[in-house]
Amino acid sequence: MRKIILFLLLLISVISFAQDLIKLRNGEYINCKITKVDSTIVYYDFYRAERKLSSFVAINDISSYNIDG
């Protein structure tokens, strides 16, 4: 029973993190949560090995982006 509850809690935390998508001009995709967009930079958060990291990318390097949230 504990395993089921733990699994559900982890699943809810993953689902609650809305997935935005950034497509770079070089063809790479970044699954993330876009936090801020200004005239030159897009700021975003992403998870790597259960750690929340923040980064940014220049708007000139982006082909397109989609905000789901």
Side-chain angles (χ1 to χ4, degrees):
M1 184 66 172
R2 286 183 180 174
K3 290 181 182 180
I4 293 172
I5 293 172
L6 180 60
F7 175 74
L8 290 175
L9 289 174
L10 289 173
L11 184 64
I12 290 171
S13 67
V14 170
I15 291 172
S16 66
F17 185 73
Q19 287 293 305
D20 300 332
L21 184 66
I22 299 173
K23 181 180 179 186
L24 301 177
R25 292 191 184 272
N26 64 5
E28 291 183 42
Y29 290 89
I30 302 172
N31 289 315
C32 60
K33 174 65 180 158
I34 296 174
T35 57
K36 181 181 173 185
V37 177
D38 66 21
S39 61
T40 59
I41 296 177
V42 174
Y43 298 90
Y44 62 92
D45 294 336
F46 64 100
Y47 283 92
R48 178 169 295 164
E50 298 185 21
R51 289 183 57 203
K52 182 178 177 183
L53 302 172
S54 298
S55 188
F56 59 90
V57 63
I59 203 95
N60 294 338
D61 295 332
I62 297 175
S63 173
S64 65
Y65 63 90
N66 183 26
I67 299 175
D68 289 334

